[in-house]
Amino acid sequence: QVQIVQSGAEVKRPGASVKVSCKTSGFTFNSYAIHWVRQAPGQRPEWMGWIIAGNGDTKYSEKFQGRLTITRDTSASTTHMELSSLRSEDTAVYYCAREGGYSSAYSFDFWGQGTRVTVSS
Amino acid sequence: EIVLTQSPATLSLSPGESATLSCRASQTLSYTYLAWYQQKPGQAPRLLIYGATKRATGIPDRFGGSGSGTDFTLTIDRLDPEDFAVYYCHQYLNSPPTFGGGTKVEIK
């Protein structure tokens, strides 16, 4: 069965970077894209970017250009999201989600459990 | 960027009643790329409906999706206690993918 497990909660100082990992299993990793979505307290989910696991191509929201890097390790079926120059507004729960492909009309069909990132001085 | 506006913000209903949730897009969408998610406190969103009308695997048939163009609806028949949650619509046709502001279905 599909499983997506994210790394644990992080507390960071303003200006620091955070790297969150997203380990997948139960499907052919290279055949899918993985998206990163964050959700600030009481807010709607916000799309950050995605990576095509097979070839490593990425696309980022303009909002995060220059601060966001998404990578993948195909040998470990894992993707990583690194956000730099953190500020208090980056405090949120960060999710990775699988794009389901044709069978689910490319919706985000499986999600990790979320990683809480707190930015505070 | 396509803006999704959900209404109402909160729906207060009793178990056994039906719920109708609305999602309006700022531009015409291909129905193929409209999804609905359920989110409970402390949990990740869960896919309910994709392609505007298709139930995801394991989703009960009391959940139904409809709509086209700019107006989409999620209907929940015979609310079960486990259905009280926040529901988000999501479009992924245009980049960036965007989410609606959510409708909270709460127990009356």
Side-chain angles (χ1 to χ4, degrees), chain A residues 42-65:
Chain A
Q43 301 301 307
R44 69 183 72 190
E46 177 180 33
W47 180 78
M48 301 179 69
W50 70 318
I51 186 165
I52 299 174
N55 62 15
D57 282 355
T58 55
K59 183 168 185 175
Y60 304 136
S61 168
E62 286 185 11
K63 178 175 180 175
F64 301 102
Q65 287 283 358

Side-chain angles (χ1 to χ4, degrees), chain A residues 63-108:
Chain A
K63 178 175 180 175
F64 301 102
Q65 287 283 358
R67 289 207 298 146
L68 176 63
T69 304
I70 300 174
T71 58
R72 97 286 194 220
D73 177 353
T74 56
S75 67
S77 300
T78 298
T79 66
H80 304 278
M81 183 282 300
E82 185 169 19
L83 189 63
S84 63
S85 302
L86 290 170
R87 35 213 187 226
S88 59
E89 310 89 89
D90 294 318
T91 294
V93 177
Y94 289 74
Y95 296 100
C96 59
R98 187 184 82 163
E99 181 183 292
Y102 178 78
S103 63
S104 64
Y106 306 98
S107 59
F108 299 178

Side-chain angles (χ1 to χ4, degrees), chain A residues 35 37 39 42-47 59 61 95 102-114 116, chain B residues 3-4 32-33 35 37 39 42-47 50-51 88 90 92 95-102:
Chain A
H35 294 253
V37 175
Q39 189 172 29
Q43 301 301 307
R44 69 183 72 190
E46 177 180 33
W47 180 78
K59 183 168 185 175
S61 168
Y95 296 100
Y102 178 78
S103 63
S104 64
Y106 306 98
S107 59
F108 299 178
D109 61 354
F110 287 93
W111 295 60
Q113 83 278 16
R116 184 173 302 277
Chain B
V3 177
L4 299 178
T32 305
Y33 302 107
Y37 299 86
Q39 188 176 35
Q43 296 185 18
R46 173 195 180 199
L47 178 65
Y50 65 91
Y88 293 100
H90 170 220
Y92 43 101
S95 186
T98 51
F99 293 82

Side-chain angles (χ1 to χ4, degrees), chain B residues 46-67:
Chain B
R46 173 195 180 199
L47 178 65
L48 297 177
I49 301 287
Y50 65 91
T53 63
K54 300 176 179 59
R55 280 187 300 277
T57 302
I59 301 303
D61 61 7
R62 63 178 182 273
F63 289 91
S66 63

